[in-house]
Structures are given as structure tokens and as C-alpha cells.
Amino acid sequence: MPEHFSKQFDQELEHVRGRVLEMGGLVEEQIKDALNGLANADLPLLDKVVSLDHKVNMLEVQLDEECQHIIARRQPTAGDMRMVFTVIKTITDLERIGDEAEKIARMSRNIYQSGRVQVPRFTEIKHAAELALRMLRKSLDAFARLDAGLAAQVVREDMQVDEEYRAIIRQLITFMMEDPRTISTSIDIITIAKAIERIGDHAKNMSEYVVFMVKGKDIRHLSLADAERAALDNDN
Amino acid sequence: MPEHFSKQFDQELEHVRGRVLEMGGLVEEQIKDALNGLANADLPLLDKVVSLDHKVNMLEVQLDEECQHIIARRQPTAGDMRMVFTVIKTITDLERIGDEAEKIARMSRNIYQSGRVQVPRFTEIKHAAELALRMLRKSLDAFARLDAGLAAQVVREDMQVDEEYRAIIRQLITFMMEDPRTISTSIDIITIAKAIERIGDHAKNMSEYVVFMVKGKDIRHLSLADAERAALDNDN
């Protein structure tokens, strides 16, 4: 392949990587806005989250198209192919994180529009959301810096978010039993907690793809110990 | 490309398509077993569902690898590329449907192991699950037969599953309010209903990819009317 071809290819890959990070940044904002909207009963902010979801969707469609063009026009090397493959998988997860942010915003709107003024277990929800957001942030950084070690941290952190989720559900069950009038709001909060738990899952998926991109090893469905070993292995 | 090369390529694609359908069949069985386990308090069957999830996961890993090899070894045409791309996206959804089946099995086990003998709203759960299973079956048929029209039906049917899900939640809220002792079981049932609703979402995603594969049009995020128009368009 002539050098200028290969250079143009590198530029195309660089462009796609930049767009993935842009999509990631947008999705992060969506989660933050949804949670701030929930914290402050800020209905216009919640509306904004719902109305901006189409932007995330559009980026997904455009990036999938770019990836197909790259594969069709160039014959990617194994390493480049792993990168394109990682992008194709990653943007599916990013789009679904966007959907979860929208769901949080819709449920929060629900809560305040029914005239309720208090959100039970808000502190715990906020804490779980911070963990999930940190996982997303780290996954995007790991993707940007090709850092398999950072990605491995995210895989481990997912257990924490799952534990927080289970704790919130247990607390809400007690809360509902003590005061059945809170059942309806509590169900909305469970949906919000579930959305946060899923954001953690998607961030974990993204980090698993980063390890694959950098190390060429598929760590999905491995035990945590094996996954960490593969991610931190220096031989590869 | 010499003819025998192209023939071998066709065979590889055919093989991958067959494996996707095999994975789909396995996932269908997992859902059916999970629901039969729930219906009949059949703990060994529920255990089987949980223990077989690794088979679905393995198929995902193997198929992703095959797809990458196909792209690396051959220079797929635009049409073939759409097929490989569709497979890459589809198996992610199939794997996650497998996870939801496992979740249904785990929650069902939970319900019976806590000594509860009755499942509230079981009729409605069964009905929603049948709708979701039909969507999955149709998506796989549409994939096998390259039938964009059939795929479009699935996109429409997803609204029905969503409506069933919302109805189940409303009924369970009333049920819990009337008898707070049922809260804990009801939360497990909500998780099961949510898993069924997500199976519908994933089947819908799969059908959207089929339309893309057959028609070359990305109908994700379009209105239902536009999506159906694109799927049924004969000009393409």
C-alpha cells in the first residue's frame, strides 16, 4: 500500500476514534443532566435530556456507516480490524447508555409531575450513579489511550455498582412495606436504579472491547481473575 | 476474484449464517425453559437454564472471531459486508437475550426458594413472554430468509410487548398496595417482566439489522411509518 494511502487510512481511523469520544462525551452529559434534573426537580433539564437522545442515535448511525466504509475501501490489518471492530461494538453500548439516561429523565419527570416532592433513597441513587459515571469515564479514557490496565479496573468496578443496586432494592422493599403509599414512587426509583446498573454493564462491555483491541484477547465471559490476567499481561 | 475463492467465501458466509440461527435456537430454548420452570416451579429446569448460559456466550465469542477472519481474509463486497456487519450486531443482541433468560430463571428460583407458591400476574407474564418469543422467532426467520417485510412486522410488534409490560407494572402496584406482604415477590415479578420487555427490544434490534442487510437502509431511530416504508420498498 503506498504511503499516502496508509496515511489517509490512519487519518480515517483517527477521525472515527475522535467521533466515538465525542459520542461518549455527549452520553456522559446526558447522564449528568438526568441526575441533576432528578436532584433539583428541574423539569426543563429533564426535557432537554429526552429531546437530545436523537443526537446520540444519529452519531451511532453515522459511525456504523463510517466503519463499514473503512472496511470496504481499505483492507485493514489485523490490528486495525480489531480497532474498527471495537468501534462497531462500542457505539452500540454508548447508544444504549444514552437510552438509559433518557429513561432516568423520563422516570424523574414522572415522579415530579405526579406532584411528589421527595425521592426516597436519593443519596444511594446518586452514589451508584457516580460509580457508573466513573466507569464510563474510565472506559472512554482507556479507549482513547489504549490502556488495557485501566479497562481492567472498570471490569472489577462493575461488581460494586451491582452491589449498590441490590442494596437499593432491598432498602426500597423495606420502605414500601413500612408505608405502602410510597409504592408507586418506589417503583419509579427501582427503574432509575436499574438504568444506572445497566450503564455500569455497558461501560464494562466497552472496557472488555478495549482489552480486546489492545491485547487481542477476548475477555468477555472470563472469570475476573482471568480477565485481569489477560489485560495486564505484558507479553502481548 | 477466482471463482473457487468466491465459492469458498459464500460457503463461509453460509456457515456463519447457520451458526447465528443455531445460537438463536439455543436462546429460544433458554427462554422457553425459564418460563416453564417458572410455571411449574421446576427448580432443576431453572438450574439448567442458568448453567447453559455459557454455551450462548461461547457462540458469541466464536462468531465474532469468524466474522473478523472473514473480513480480514476476503475483501467483502458492499452486500456481503452488510451481511457480516449484521451478524456482528445480531449476536450481541442474541447474547443479551440469553442473559435475560438467565435472569428470568434466577428470579424464578428466588421466588420458589423463598417458599412462595404462587406467582402473581402469571397469566399476563406468560402472554407477554409469548409475544416476545414470537418476535424473536420472526426475527430469526427474517434473517434466514432475508425477509425485510417479516422484519418490519417485528418492529411494529415491539409496541405490544411494551404495552403489556406497562400493564403488568400497573397491576402489580395495585396488588402490592392491597397486600404489602406481596411486595417482595412482586419486585421479583417486575424484574421478570422487565427481562421479557428487553427480549422484545433485542428482537426488534435484530429485525432492524435484517432490514439493513436486505435493503441497505438503516431504519433504527426512524418513526414506525418511515421504517415500514423503507422495509417494504420494492424499488431497492
Side-chain angles (χ1 to χ4, degrees), chain B residues 20-123:
Chain B
V20 171
L21 293 172
E22 183 194 328
M23 186 176 175
L26 178 58
V27 162
E28 261 187 285
E29 281 310 304
Q30 290 280 84
I31 302 172
K32 283 182 198 158
D33 284 348
L35 287 160
N36 284 330
L38 173 63
N40 309 315
D42 185 342
L43 290 172
L45 188 59
L46 295 171
D47 287 340
K48 192 186 129 201
V49 174
V50 173
S51 72
L52 280 189
D53 187 51
H54 78 275
K55 266 193 149 181
V56 178
N57 298 343
M58 216 177 54
L59 278 168
E60 181 194 26
V61 170
Q62 290 172 355
L63 274 165
D64 266 337
E65 221 171 279
E66 275 191 62
C67 285
Q68 288 174 67
H69 283 165
I70 286 182
I71 296 175
R73 277 202 313 272
R74 323 277 172 193
Q75 184 94 36
T77 62
D80 290 338
M81 186 55 222
R82 284 211 302 273
M83 165 81 77
V84 177
F85 184 84
T86 297
V87 170
I88 292 174
K89 294 284 193 180
T90 296
I91 56 182
T92 304
D93 284 297
L94 279 177
E95 191 269 334
R96 290 180 193 170
I97 293 178
D99 287 346
E100 300 300 336
E102 192 196 343
K103 208 171 291 163
I104 294 171
R106 280 186 193 280
M107 283 297 134
S108 305
R109 218 161 56 175
N110 229 7
I111 291 172
Y112 292 117
Q113 280 175 344
S114 327
R116 301 165 216 160
V117 289
Q118 237 211 340
V119 178
R121 318 313 312 174
F122 179 71
T123 312

Side-chain angles (χ1 to χ4, degrees), chain B residues 182-198:
Chain B
T182 65
I183 287 175
S184 204
T185 309
S186 295
I187 297 297
D188 286 344
I189 300 293
I190 286 178
T191 304
I192 290 174
K194 183 77 197 156
I196 293 167
E197 190 258 337
R198 295 201 72 90

Side-chain angles (χ1 to χ4, degrees), chain B residues 160-175:
Chain B
Q160 249 177 291
V161 177
D162 290 351
E163 187 40 59
E164 292 287 326
Y165 168 72
R166 282 190 295 267
I168 291 171
I169 302 299
R170 278 194 303 270
Q171 292 159 357
L172 283 171
I173 288 176
T174 309
F175 186 70

Side-chain angles (χ1 to χ4, degrees), chain A residues 38 104 107-108 110-112 116 118-122 124-125 165 168-169 172 175-176 182-196:
Chain A
L38 173 63
I104 295 172
M107 283 297 134
S108 305
N110 230 8
I111 292 171
Y112 292 117
R116 302 166 215 160
Q118 236 211 340
V119 177
R121 315 317 309 174
F122 179 71
E124 289 81 0
I125 288 283
Y165 168 71
I168 291 172
I169 302 296
L172 282 171
F175 186 69
M176 288 186 273
T182 65
I183 288 175
S184 204
T185 308
S186 294
I187 297 298
D188 286 344
I189 301 293
I190 287 178
T191 304
I192 290 173
K194 183 77 196 157
I196 292 167

